[in-house]
Amino acid sequence: MGKPICALITGASSGIGEAFARVMAAEGINLVLMARRADRLEALRRELEPAHRVKVAVVPCDIRTAESRAGAWEQAQKAATTSGLEIDCLINNAGLGESTWFVKQDWSRKAEMIDVNVSALTHFASLALPPMAAANRGWICNVSSTAGFMPGPKMAVYYATKAYVTSLSEALSYEVRHSGVKISALCPGPVKTEFAPAAKMDSSRLFQVIKPMTSEQVARIGYLAMLRGQPVVVDSWLLAGATFMNRFLPRAMILKTTAFLNGAGGRRK
Ligand SMILES: NC(=O)c1ccc[n+]([C@@H]2O[C@H](COP(=O)([O-])OP(=O)(O)OC[C@H]3O[C@@H](n4cnc5c(N)ncnc54)[C@H](OP(=O)(O)O)[C@@H]3O)[C@@H](O)[C@H]2O)c1
């Protein structure tokens, strides 16, 4: 099984993206790290470069607009070619959520989720895939969520963005099935990162009922599954079983259960 030479990781300043950077650097893979918090990316670069003798470049940017993404992609490619490398792997990980009722959620928060979770992920995949297809070699891991398997009252937009990510990834993985390019959707359940506090999910039943995994565990599972080209990856046996059962349960029952877990079971306050 081959492995990437140079990976671009979006959302590498914390959580799962940062953990992917650690896992892949330890495998000897060179990295280009992207996120808004430049200080965090720099600190990671200073730690990983000497520890694993890999090249690490940082591209600080906000990936909400198409213009900033095009500029960031150009910078990322330039950073790789300066070191004599080509980006042959994309970890499309940056993302955010928010737990609130749809009617109470500002449009700006909905737009931010769609811009980052959907538009940025699709844009980076469309920039990265053509050179990979031409070289008949490459890997893409789109970080989705088990939220993508069901509708999510009180996190409606977030769940819908992740349904899009899983659907897109499965379709693309089929399109490239006869080539040397592998595409995976990584669908974690709850993970202990900055995501839950930022999404106002700290008191969510979901994080109480299901023990959150560590970002290191999730990144390792995602990395190995991406190498194998597994189209959809659920990070625990329990959630893989639940996701499988989802196919046979009435949609109304799934909706009620998710609403309960998201604290949307009662009347809207
Ligand atoms: N934690 C969970 O329970 C869980 C479960 C399933 C799926 N996921 C998914 O896993 C992925 C990573 O989340 P995480 O849990 O690791 O959360 P996290 O610690 O909050 O990390 C999110 C990352 O996305 C980056 N990001 C957000 N908005 C950005 C923007 N506008 N421009 C550039 N970068 C941006 C953040 O960097 P900056 O703030 O520095 O820009 C940060 O590095 C997300 O796609 C999330 O939906 C998480």
Side-chain angles (χ1 to χ4, degrees):
M1 189 160 58
K3 68 177 180 187
I5 293 167
C6 180
L8 166 61
I9 305 177
T10 70
S13 60
S14 62
I16 298 170
E18 182 183 336
F20 259 104
R22 289 183 200 286
V23 166
M24 295 178 84
E27 293 288 325
I29 298 167
N30 303 286
L31 303 172
V32 182
L33 308 178
M34 208 180 266
R36 289 167 300 186
R37 286 170 290 180
D39 52 336
R40 296 248 194 140
L41 299 181
E42 252 319 303
L44 196 54
R45 183 186 72 73
R46 283 199 301 273
E47 176 198 325
L48 297 179
E49 267 194 342
H52 303 292
R53 296 189 183 176
V54 290
K55 294 269 181 204
V56 180
V58 303
V59 178
C61 70
D62 186 331
I63 60 173
R64 282 194 60 179
T65 68
E67 203 181 13
S68 68
R69 292 191 292 265
W73 172 252
E74 209 173 291
Q75 257 183 279
Q77 276 198 311
K78 209 179 269 175
T81 45
T82 305
S83 306
L85 303 165
E86 299 259 335
I87 294 170
D88 58 359
C89 175
L90 168 66
I91 308 294
N92 234 337
N93 161 77
L96 68 145
E98 187 180 40
S99 168
T100 188
W101 300 103
F102 187 86
V103 290
K104 292 195 170 177
Q105 191 174 45
D106 288 342
W107 166 246
S108 63
R109 287 296 281 166
K110 295 178 178 101
E112 189 178 358
M113 275 185 270
I114 296 167
D115 289 342
V116 177
N117 300 5
V118 173
S119 301
L121 177 134
T122 311
H123 195 170
F124 284 123
S126 23
L127 290 165
L129 190 50
M132 290 181 191
N136 196 30
R137 182 177 185 283
W139 294 263
I140 297 179
C141 173
N142 290 326
V143 180
S144 185
S145 169
T146 44
F149 295 113
M150 61 208 92
K154 220 172 166 194
M155 282 193 87
V157 175
Y158 177 73
Y159 276 56
T161 64
K162 293 302 181 179
Y164 171 92
V165 174
T166 305
S167 168
L168 178 81
S169 309
E170 273 193 278
L172 295 188
S173 122
Y174 188 85
E175 285 188 21
V176 300
R177 72 195 183 286
H178 296 308
S179 78
V181 182
K182 313 255 184 251
I183 300 180
S184 269
L186 172 60
C187 302
V191 190
K192 212 170 165 38
T193 67
E194 294 171 18
F195 176 88
K200 301 181 207 136
M201 286 179 76
D202 276 336
S203 54
S204 148
R205 286 194 187 101
L206 188 66
F207 276 72
Q208 289 156 14
V209 171
I210 303 166
K211 187 172 173 255
M213 290 179 78
T214 66
S215 47
E216 291 71 24
Q217 288 172 313
V218 174
R220 180 154 293 286
I221 290 167
Y223 170 70
L224 292 173
M226 175 187 73
L227 289 191
R228 289 194 301 272
Q230 192 175 325
V232 178
V233 187
V234 179
D235 64 356
S236 77
W237 286 109
L238 175 71
L239 287 168
T243 307
F244 179 75
M245 287 308 292
N246 247 357
R247 298 175 196 178
F248 309 105
L249 296 172
R251 197 73 167 166
M253 184 189 275
I254 295 166
L255 197 49
K256 263 196 169 171
T257 309
T258 318
F260 172 76
L261 291 172
N262 287 353
R267 275 181 185 278
R268 179 166 59 78
K269 289 184 206 105

